Amino acid sequence: MPHLKLRCALLASALISTPALAQTNQIYNPGFEMGPPISLGNNFIASNTSHAVGWFDSGGSMPNVVKVDGPGDTAPCQDYGSNGPENDASGLATCNNPRHYLDITSGSNTVYQRFTPKCKGEVTFGASFSSRANSRGFGAINIRSGNVITAPILSSTNVTVPGGISKTDPWRQTTGSIVLQAGQTYIFEVDMDNQLNMDDAFVYFSDCDEVPDLPDVENPDWEESGNNGTGGGGGDPILDDAYANDDIQYEIAYPVPDDPIEGPSPCCAPWSEQDIPTALMPVFPTDAASPYTMQYMNPASLNAQMGAYLNYVHAMDPTITQISMQWQALDLGTGVTPNNAGPIAGSAQTVTWTWTPNGVQSSITGGGFWTGTPFQVNRWYGYVTKLMHNGPQNSIYFDEDCLNNSWKFRWSSQGMRGRTRNVGQFETVDAQGKVVRSTRMSVRPGQPLSLNPPQTRARPMQRR
């Protein structure tokens, strides 16, 4: 199951990188759109860090991930200057949709990544290049056999970009071809001098729809020397193969946390039914036996998690700039156990996360959700959340199984006597439908009551 999710993420990056051929790209993060948020312009990075996730370098001059916002020099757009292009190779950069490409800082370096195709046959490989500082640039693209950077070169094509007007000159694509074997590891390598920029790398089979595995965690270049084998420093960005218990944050370059049911999930948001009681707290105007409201607590941890997830999704699909979570409450009756359906209680409420170049912003309707006291003591309610986005329909990141979550809850004052009118208990149901009760909990009028859900039996793993 986790393997399918990682394949999903990799397929998305291939589709978004404007491929030369309509096949699955064997190169991960081909356009340098994945990585932690960075500033417009130059972003000088240490060797082999997640800012260029998926890529390693040979320890030469410092890599530089350049962030550009397209043509236009008036606010909020910014003029990157004449040293490099104002747009990346896709031509899609705008003020509201910045893009990225790779530069080498004041010298030369080699960047590379390993791939192991699942098909055999002829591939077309290449990348797009542009000049810096209006000067002529030189380089090469190599395909090496094996998984170390000293492995033999099987095919090579030279890169030459003439001098001109670096800011506005079009990007130039350089390509080559070679026959590769399935199941064998190769290295895609780009040599770059100081006057080159690189973007949108690719390796495409002429007839192969197989999604490649993610790059392997093993990196022989670090194992021998503690660095990258040729004098470069920095930590291994660690791109794992697609198995359970992987540290997903490296694959997607954002710290997407565990789903409490599923574990890390790059295709589903970091939200499940078990998160609902941590985001809602009942507020009692008078005492524990009075009608109450449910206050949305706007957890900082959730905002950070959803912000990281939206950054990731936007990097993979720039058309998605907003994720909304709609909340609805249902009246599930007064039975011993809750009904499976019921009328709506209160009005629908929404939390929205919006991507901006300066970071993800969140907003809430209704000042924190339900007003008045729409909920009654000793009555079951179901709280249902649905995730939505503003991108294309049928996005792989919003599979139906990822969207809807619900939680059944009752605040009970039954059995509370005498001076215990400010005491009640929280009740929910476990995976087998059995009612599970908390210990007695004290209420302070007007103050949100933190719910500590009682232990329930683990739910069986669900496929997403």
Side-chain angles (χ1 to χ4, degrees):
M1 178 186 60
H3 181 74
L4 295 175
K5 294 176 184 175
L6 294 181
R7 286 165 56 91
C8 164
L10 186 58
L11 177 59
S13 66
L15 295 176
I16 292 165
S17 61
T18 54
L21 300 173
Q23 302 295 331
T24 302
N25 197 350
Q26 305 293 302
I27 300 301
Y28 190 74
N29 188 23
F32 303 95
E33 299 305 321
M34 298 173 64
I38 56 177
S39 303
L40 282 169
N42 295 319
N43 293 271
F44 307 117
I45 61 177
S47 290
N48 306 304
T49 67
S50 61
H51 285 83
V53 61
W55 294 89
F56 303 101
D57 72 84
S58 297
S61 296
M62 187 178 295
N64 174 25
V65 176
V66 181
K67 182 177 180 179
V68 290
D69 60 3
D73 302 338
T74 59
C77 293
Q78 296 186 25
D79 184 5
Y80 175 56
S82 61
N83 281 337
E86 60 189 357
N87 215 322
D88 76 336
S90 73
L92 299 176
T94 66
C95 292
N96 295 320
N97 180 41
R99 304 279 293 184
H100 307 82
Y101 57 83
L102 185 71
D103 165 50
I104 302 300
T105 306
S106 300
S108 61
N109 203 340
T110 297
V111 295
Y112 63 97
Q113 64 175 264
R114 300 169 180 81
F115 66 98
T116 305
K118 295 183 177 180
C119 300
K120 66 178 180 179
E122 185 177 42
V123 298
T124 301
F125 63 89
S128 293
F129 298 89
S130 63
S131 70
R132 290 190 60 76
N134 301 332
S135 300
R136 193 178 188 185
F138 298 94
I141 307 175
N142 305 314
I143 300 293
R144 294 181 180 268
S145 64
N147 65 350
V148 294
I149 56 177
T150 56
I153 294 177
L154 301 179
S155 182
S156 182
T157 182
N158 292 327
V159 177
T160 301
V161 176
I165 303 176
S166 297
K167 181 177 179 179
T168 57
D169 280 349
W171 286 74
R172 295 169 177 260
Q173 189 179 84
T174 299
T175 64
S177 63
I178 188 177
V179 174
L180 300 181
Q181 302 299 315
Q184 180 174 332
T185 299
Y186 299 93
I187 289 178
F188 176 91
E189 176 186 74
V190 180
D191 294 327
M192 298 173 59
D193 71 7
N194 186 48
Q195 308 305 331
L196 279 184
N197 305 296
M198 190 263 285
D199 198 16
D200 286 356
F202 62 89
V203 174
Y204 292 108
F205 284 89
S206 60
D207 184 20
C208 178
D209 291 322
E210 287 290 328
V211 178
D213 285 332
L214 293 176
D216 190 17
V217 65
E218 298 296 334
N219 190 334
D221 302 326
W222 273 279
E223 291 180 348
E224 294 181 2
S225 63
N227 52 35
N228 65 6
T230 56
D236 186 347
I238 308 179
L239 292 173
D240 303 3
D241 201 355
Y243 294 100
N245 302 318
D246 280 351
D247 193 344
I248 303 299
Q249 66 178 337
Y250 290 101
E251 274 85 355
I252 64 178
Y254 289 105
V256 172
D258 285 1
D259 178 305
I261 295 177
E262 295 275 333
S265 172
C267 283
C268 291
W271 177 260
S272 77
E273 63 186 48
Q274 296 185 28
D275 294 302
I276 294 176
T278 66
L280 292 179
M281 292 187 184
V283 179
F284 299 83
T286 56
D287 56 48
S290 65
Y292 61 95
T293 189
M294 289 293 274
Q295 179 76 24
Y296 177 72
M297 302 311 297
N298 195 24
S301 59
L302 175 61
N303 284 329
Q305 293 164 351
M306 293 299 290
Y309 181 73
L310 180 52
N311 275 328
Y312 158 62
V313 171
H314 176 75
M316 302 294 270
D317 184 348
T319 65
I320 299 177
T321 59
Q322 194 172 82
I323 297 175
S324 295
M325 181 187 293
Q326 184 184 76
W327 290 74
Q328 188 73 71
L330 303 178
D331 185 338
L332 302 183
T334 58
V336 176
T337 58
N339 299 326
N340 290 325
I344 294 173
S347 57
Q349 306 292 330
T350 304
V351 183
T352 301
W353 293 271
T354 302
W355 183 93
T356 75
N358 296 320
V360 174
Q361 307 295 323
S362 63
S363 60
I364 308 169
T365 62
F369 281 19
W370 294 278
T371 58
T373 53
F375 306 112
Q376 305 296 315
V377 175
N378 303 324
R379 196 172 194 93
W380 289 101
Y381 293 95
Y383 296 93
V384 181
T385 65
K386 180 175 182 178
L387 287 173
M388 299 171 286
H389 65 95
N390 66 340
Q393 292 185 349
N394 302 319
S395 168
I396 58 174
Y397 306 101
F398 294 87
D399 181 83
E400 188 64 29
D401 290 334
C402 301
L403 298 183
N404 301 306
N405 288 284
S406 61
W407 172 68
K408 296 176 180 180
F409 159 83
R410 176 169 67 178
W411 177 256
S412 176
S413 65
Q414 295 173 352
M416 307 299 171
R417 296 186 178 88
R419 56 181 181 177
T420 61
R421 286 188 59 81
N422 281 336
V423 177
Q425 62 183 355
F426 161 70
E427 297 178 313
T428 187
V429 293
D430 65 13
Q432 286 73 42
K434 179 183 178 181
V435 175
V436 182
R437 298 177 176 85
S438 69
T439 58
R440 294 184 176 188
M441 304 175 71
S442 297
V443 168
R444 291 185 178 181
Q447 298 296 314
L449 175 64
S450 179
L451 298 178
N452 297 310
Q455 287 294 114
T456 63
R457 297 182 185 179
R459 288 178 176 270
M461 191 73 78
Q462 301 173 2
R463 180 171 293 276
R464 290 195 173 186

